[in-house]
Amino acid sequence: METSPDIGTGTAALLEESPFPVRVACVDTGSNAIRFLAADFFSPTRWHPVHYERVPIRLGHQVFLNGKLASSQMDACVEAFAGFREHLDRLEIQHFRAVATSAVREAQNGEALIERIRQQTGIELEAISGSEEARLVHLAVTSRIDMSQSKWLLVDVGGGSVEVSLADDVGMLWSQSHTMGSVRLLEELSGAGDDPGRFRRLLGEYVSVLRLPSAAAYWQPAGLIATGGNIEALADFVYAAPDDRGVAQLTVDDLTSAIELLARLSFHDKKEQFGMREDRADVILPAAMVYARVAELAQVEEIQVPFVGVKEGILLDLVDQILSSRQHEERQLAQVTTAAVALGRRFLFDEAHGTTVARHADALFVQLEALHGLDARDRLVLRAASILHDIGLFISYKRHHHHSLYILTGSELPGFSPEEMKVVANVARYHRKSGPAPHHEHYMELPHEDRMRVTALGSLLRLADALDRQHSGMVEEVRARVDGMVLKLELEGRGDLLLERWALAKKKNLFEETFGLKVKVRAR
């Protein structure tokens, strides 16, 4: 089994006193409904639900037609969050996270809804990227399915988007978000009227454009894992019962039979004959056809349905953070490494150089924590920027630092918000040439605090990049310590490291200007 490159962590994981039992909660604000889940955890993976509530507010209804959340739906959403606030207070929950997916993410007035919820309920709602959504689903799936022996294809069909990922037990090798969710398909194809046959034909033509990246065929995934409320409903529909792990096996033949039956039924028939909720009866066919299309592309005969999703992933992530902040940090670093390497491979990057620079940057970050005062999130940003700093070479060597900025600004990495990706992109941009300046547009668009992060992290990246000037790993270890007004770097490696010392002399200026220290280098 291929593993992530070993680029070092700098510090060992710390064992901490067990916090169990611990109570956590989350809100998953989807395009078709909002879900609140609170649970008591008795171990990192053993838990019992305390309260679950599903509020059928279809936020994606107007968003996927005209780009805005309807005012009535915003009012209902704020009212629902007021109820969640009461649950949080009644259950005395301190560890909590609320996320929103494609509907709020895409809505022109999504920020207005987030601000209303913050002001009226005190809950911070976070609009997450498709990649972060896929990361949370992956975390939930690994609690039910052993993915350690191979690569698996994951598909999550929400109301507004379809997240398709290739993953193993460590993290995702790649992830793509498609604007083809069940509610979106329903709204966009609403012109089909009440004719089930015509609607089914339109759906078939629409989902036929869905493609998997060529990487899926290259990696030969072991199987297909599907998540989302609709696939769970489909498994129940064909009587595919979960096993002792809580995982059902839904055969593609059964899924195809379900599609044939659902396509002949009217909305009224689905409710009356099969007892489906109103907000499930109208979207289950579009979702089923998306799942069937992915299964066709993946060339599988059955689909694993683990009956977990974003909300379970949030809870597991919260408990992981509570259990051990250091272990959680190391796990996040491994996930970022896997995702960054996967992104770099799409652009034919120099993987050995990127991971070597990341190893040196991480060593400098850890050894100089007392100097720079940055936190664990900054360490993740530096990890991603270090691995991908030369990704712009895919376009051209000339001005490749600008090309890296462009590529990374438009890319997604699991665990990073779009705002954080801008920070990653700027840090990578400043690995060479001039440092940050007032006339640099992308740098000045960042908030003041993020500009300071970029400058500090960029100065560390420059030193780390110089340590692999020959792209051949000549420097095996770097030791850094502050002595008065001097940063002393001691290098160990092969040869006299003359070129690396020369490169450090050329690239140390930004660090010296940022921290007010002189950099001196000695090689052993």
Side-chain angles (χ1 to χ4, degrees):
M1 183 186 77
E2 182 173 354
T3 58
S4 302
D6 181 10
I7 60 178
T9 57
T11 56
L14 300 178
L15 295 177
E16 299 179 0
E17 184 179 351
S18 173
F20 299 111
V22 62
R23 179 168 290 181
V24 294
C26 69
V27 174
D28 173 15
T29 311
S31 302
N32 195 41
I34 307 174
R35 301 166 182 85
F36 176 94
L37 176 60
D40 285 335
F41 274 73
F42 305 100
S43 77
T45 57
R46 187 170 63 89
W47 56 279
H48 177 74
V50 174
H51 182 80
Y52 174 69
E53 184 175 345
R54 183 183 186 274
V55 185
I57 300 174
R58 185 165 284 177
L59 291 174
H61 174 62
Q62 289 297 320
V63 174
F64 303 143
L65 290 177
N66 58 34
K68 290 186 177 181
L69 296 161
S71 59
S72 59
Q73 292 167 339
M74 292 176 69
D75 292 341
C77 186
V78 173
E79 182 179 351
F81 270 80
F84 301 154
R85 176 79 270 171
E86 293 178 2
H87 295 320
L88 292 172
D89 294 340
R90 175 177 57 84
L91 297 172
E92 299 180 343
I93 294 172
Q94 297 180 347
H95 306 287
F96 171 77
R97 186 184 183 190
V99 306
T101 52
S102 57
V104 176
R105 183 168 68 226
E106 297 179 22
Q108 298 173 26
N109 54 349
E111 282 297 326
L113 174 62
I114 291 173
E115 184 59 28
R116 282 187 60 186
I117 290 172
R118 178 188 299 115
Q119 290 184 357
Q120 297 184 37
T121 72
I123 295 175
E124 297 286 341
L125 178 62
E126 175 188 356
I128 60 174
S129 67
S131 291
E132 173 65 359
E133 189 175 349
R135 184 188 74 87
L136 293 169
V137 170
H138 169 264
L139 186 59
V141 168
T142 56
S143 71
R144 291 279 175 94
I145 297 176
D146 182 6
M147 302 173 65
S148 61
Q149 300 303 313
S150 188
K151 310 292 188 294
W152 289 77
L153 199 63
L154 271 63
V155 56
D156 180 69
V157 179
S161 63
V162 178
E163 318 300 335
V164 183
S165 310
L166 187 72
D168 57 16
D169 60 323
V170 176
M172 289 171 291
L173 300 168
W174 54 251
S175 178
Q176 288 190 348
S177 182
H178 304 270
T179 54
M180 200 178 286
S182 56
V183 175
R184 191 190 300 271
L185 286 172
L186 182 69
E187 300 294 353
E188 292 186 354
L189 302 181
S190 58
D194 294 326
D195 181 352
R198 181 166 181 260
F199 182 58
R200 192 271 175 86
R201 290 193 299 273
L202 280 173
L203 276 173
E205 293 176 5
Y206 199 101
V207 302
S208 67
V209 303
L210 180 64
R211 296 286 188 274
L212 298 183
S214 56
Y218 173 77
W219 288 107
Q220 296 180 329
L224 175 63
I225 302 169
T227 56
N230 284 297
I231 197 67
E232 295 172 5
L234 286 163
D236 291 338
F237 188 69
V238 301
Y239 303 104
D243 58 20
D244 55 3
R245 301 171 300 160
V247 180
Q249 280 73 45
L250 171 61
T251 68
V252 173
D253 286 344
D254 283 346
L255 176 60
T256 302
S257 298
I259 290 172
E260 295 298 329
L261 176 57
L262 291 168
R264 295 194 300 268
L265 297 175
S266 67
F267 175 71
H268 177 78
D269 291 337
K270 292 171 191 171
K271 289 197 305 175
E272 296 301 319
Q273 294 185 29
F274 295 99
M276 292 185 185
R277 298 190 309 263
E278 287 191 7
D279 63 343
R280 180 72 68 206
D282 56 354
V283 297
I284 192 168
L285 179 59
M289 294 189 67
V290 173
Y291 286 118
R293 174 60 178 168
V294 175
E296 176 189 0
L297 294 171
Q299 299 180 336
V300 298
E301 296 181 356
E302 69 176 18
I303 302 170
Q304 306 289 315
V305 184
F307 288 87
V308 291
V310 170
K311 60 185 185 299
E312 289 83 6
I314 296 172
L315 296 186
L316 289 163
D317 202 38
L318 285 170
V319 171
D320 190 41
Q321 294 179 49
I322 298 166
L323 180 63
S324 170
S325 59
R326 179 61 69 185
Q327 289 177 356
H328 180 74
E329 181 181 346
E330 302 299 342
R331 214 168 348 259
Q332 285 186 312
L333 285 166
Q335 292 170 351
V336 167
T337 299
T338 298
V341 168
L343 176 60
R345 286 172 179 167
R346 297 188 202 176
F347 293 88
L348 306 178
F349 83 135
D350 186 342
E351 184 173 336
H353 174 62
T355 54
T356 297
V357 170
R359 177 165 56 84
H360 292 321
D362 195 71
L364 292 171
F365 184 96
V366 171
Q367 294 177 66
L368 298 176
E369 282 179 329
L371 174 66
H372 56 64
L374 298 169
D375 61 20
R377 293 300 304 175
D378 298 305
R379 189 179 178 192
L380 294 174
V381 168
L382 181 60
R383 172 67 58 90
S386 299
I387 293 173
L388 297 168
H389 69 281
D390 273 346
I391 197 172
L393 290 170
F394 181 80
I395 298 175
S396 170
Y397 176 80
K398 186 177 181 181
R399 293 170 57 84
H400 72 267
H401 52 302
H402 289 280
H403 302 321
S404 294
L405 172 70
Y406 169 76
I407 291 173
L408 293 175
T409 298
S411 298
E412 288 186 359
L413 286 175
F416 291 112
S417 67
E419 291 72 25
E420 284 182 311
M421 282 305 300
K422 293 178 182 178
V423 178
V424 171
N426 274 274
V427 173
R429 179 255 187 270
Y430 290 114
H431 80 273
R432 68 190 293 264
K433 296 296 184 178
S434 62
H439 64 277
H440 292 169
E441 178 182 354
H442 293 282
Y443 174 74
M444 294 306 297
E445 287 176 350
L446 299 174
H448 175 75
E449 182 179 348
D450 285 345
R451 293 202 298 271
M452 297 303 98
R453 296 170 68 199
V454 166
T455 302
L457 294 172
S459 71
L460 293 174
L461 176 54
R462 285 186 179 224
L463 297 181
D465 190 34
L467 292 172
D468 195 39
R469 181 65 178 81
Q470 300 182 62
H471 291 219
S472 57
M474 298 296 288
V475 175
E476 297 169 349
E477 186 177 357
V478 56
R479 296 188 183 90
R481 66 183 180 91
V482 176
D483 186 1
M485 298 302 292
V486 176
L487 171 66
K488 294 184 176 180
L489 298 179
E490 185 176 291
L491 314 182
E492 287 194 10
R494 294 175 282 121
D496 58 12
L497 305 180
L498 182 61
L499 190 56
E500 286 73 21
R501 285 183 285 162
W502 172 84
L504 281 166
K506 297 283 288 184
K507 303 187 75 168
K508 66 181 182 179
N509 289 349
L510 181 59
F511 182 92
E512 292 182 336
E513 293 169 3
T514 301
F515 294 103
L517 301 176
K518 290 294 182 182
V519 176
K520 292 188 177 181
V521 184
R522 186 169 71 93
R524 290 205 311 178

